[in-house]
């Protein structure tokens, strides 16, 4: 079974600074997807960024980028130029590439932005 | 184009009762997944429907059941409610798969269920 671990229950960062959220996962599969989702107090889960395991290049989306280390089974999220609107719970998630679309989530990291 | 919607927003039920939660998929999406998110936890996969057929199930008892309709909207039914069923229930829809490419899931705002 696949597992996803987020070892930082809470993180805080000064506005405009950079913060990195950690995620490790365990799987015996070689082909899969990894995601970071953001869940603000409104509760709606929003996709931040997606990484295909077969791609060596790290994904980037504007101020968000990942550091994907397949051998180490590590998938961290870097948020640059942090903004007040980035405050939320961040969840790392795993999905097999083939088969159904079941997402396996970590327990989340609560990110606070300090003005 | 409307996003994923869920109803109701909040619900309070008594232990032993039955509940039905509803989800309307994003336009054109044929795949719906349901997740349970207990307080302070990440979402847990309940099951998924693809074109009205169940396409995978998580570690949930049979009293959790579902349906997907021809318009791809979906229902989650929970019988014999227990206190531990209190949680946020999230629905997510997607376009499924096209060849080797698998599309992202888009989540609704959830239904907060409280069992007393």
């Amino acid at each position: 079974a696949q597992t996803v671990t987020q070892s930082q229950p809470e993180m805080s960062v000064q506005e405009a600074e950079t913060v990195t959220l950690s995620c490790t996962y365990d799987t015996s599969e070689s082909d899969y997807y990894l995601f970071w989702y953001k869940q603000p107090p409104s509760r709606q889960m929003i996709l931040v960024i997606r990484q295909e395991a077969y791609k060596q290049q790290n994904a980037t989306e504007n101020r968000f980028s990942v550091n994907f280390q397949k051998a180490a089974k590590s998938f961290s999220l870097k948020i640059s130029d942090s903004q007040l609107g980035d405050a939320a719970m961040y969840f790392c998630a795993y999905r097999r590439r083939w088969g159904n679309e079941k997402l396996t989530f970590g327990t989340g990291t609560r990110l606070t932005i300090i003005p | 184009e409307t996003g994923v919607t869920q109803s109701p927003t909040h619900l309070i039920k008594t232990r032993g009762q039955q509940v039905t939660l509803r989800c309307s998929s994003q336009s054109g999406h044929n795949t719906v997944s349901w997740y349970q998110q207990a307080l302070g936890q990440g979402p847990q996969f309940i099951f998924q429907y693809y074109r009205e057929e169940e396409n995978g199930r998580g570690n949930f008892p049979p009293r959790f059941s579902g349906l997907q309709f021809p318009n791809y909207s979906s229902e989650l039914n929970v019988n014999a409610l227990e206190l531990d069923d209190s949680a946020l229930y999230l629905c997510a829809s997607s376009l499924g798969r096209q060849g080797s490419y698998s599309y992202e899931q888009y989540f609704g705002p959830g239904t907060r269920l409280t069992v007393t």
Side-chain angles (χ1 to χ4, degrees):
Chain A
Q2 296 83 21
T3 59
V4 177
T5 302
Q6 294 179 250
S7 58
Q8 306 157 313
E10 296 185 0
M11 292 281 285
S12 60
V13 63
Q14 206 79 30
E15 193 176 2
E17 296 296 310
T18 296
V19 64
T20 299
L21 309 184
S22 301
C23 172
T24 58
Y25 59 95
D26 189 26
T27 182
S28 57
E29 304 276 339
S30 60
D31 209 358
Y32 48 86
Y33 299 105
L34 294 165
F35 305 86
W36 280 97
Y37 279 90
K38 167 185 177 181
Q39 188 176 40
S42 66
R43 309 182 320 203
Q44 189 143 9
M45 201 75 77
I46 301 163
L47 177 65
V48 174
I49 200 164
R50 159 185 172 141
Q51 174 78 44
E52 287 86 359
Y54 57 88
K55 290 185 178 178
Q56 293 187 350
Q57 187 172 6
N58 289 324
T60 62
E61 287 288 342
N62 300 314
R63 299 183 293 107
F64 299 88
S65 61
V66 298
N67 183 4
F68 173 49
Q69 301 290 326
K70 190 173 184 180
K73 295 181 181 175
S74 169
F75 182 62
S76 61
L77 174 70
K78 186 171 83 171
I79 306 174
S80 303
D81 185 26
S82 297
Q83 300 176 1
L84 293 177
D86 295 333
M89 283 292 290
Y90 285 81
F91 290 95
C92 177
Y94 165 100
R95 200 186 90 200
R96 294 169 58 193
R97 185 176 180 192
W98 305 105
N100 68 45
E101 297 178 11
K102 169 188 173 182
L103 286 166
T104 300
F105 287 87
T107 52
T109 297
R110 181 174 301 282
L111 179 64
T112 301
I113 311 297
I114 303 166
Chain B
E1 178 182 289
T2 58
V4 180
T5 60
Q6 292 185 243
S7 62
T9 305
H10 296 89
L11 202 52
I12 300 174
K13 289 285 190 178
T14 302
R15 189 171 49 185
Q17 286 187 318
Q18 178 266 343
V19 69
T20 298
L21 310 182
R22 295 178 174 83
C23 171
S24 290
S25 306
Q26 191 161 320
S27 178
H29 287 190
N30 55 25
T31 303
V32 173
S33 302
W34 285 91
Y35 294 84
Q36 180 195 65
Q37 186 177 16
L39 198 61
Q41 300 294 317
Q44 298 289 318
F45 177 75
I46 303 175
F47 43 57
Q48 179 182 99
Y49 281 84
Y50 171 67
R51 295 190 174 183
E52 303 178 60
E53 296 288 328
E54 188 177 289
N55 182 37
R57 187 179 182 92
N59 189 26
F60 280 81
R63 58 190 186 83
F64 285 78
S65 63
L67 279 175
Q68 187 180 31
F69 300 99
N71 66 354
Y72 301 138
S73 65
S74 178
E75 284 182 357
L76 164 66
N77 299 288
V78 187
N79 293 321
L81 284 166
E82 301 177 0
L83 296 179
D84 284 349
D85 295 333
S86 294
L88 180 67
Y89 288 85
L90 297 167
C91 164
S93 74
S94 79
L95 287 168
R97 187 185 307 282
Q98 186 167 18
S100 64
Y101 186 82
S102 192
Y103 290 90
E104 288 84 8
Q105 295 182 35
Y106 292 88
F107 283 81
T111 294
R112 171 76 65 193
L113 173 65
T114 302
V115 182
T116 62

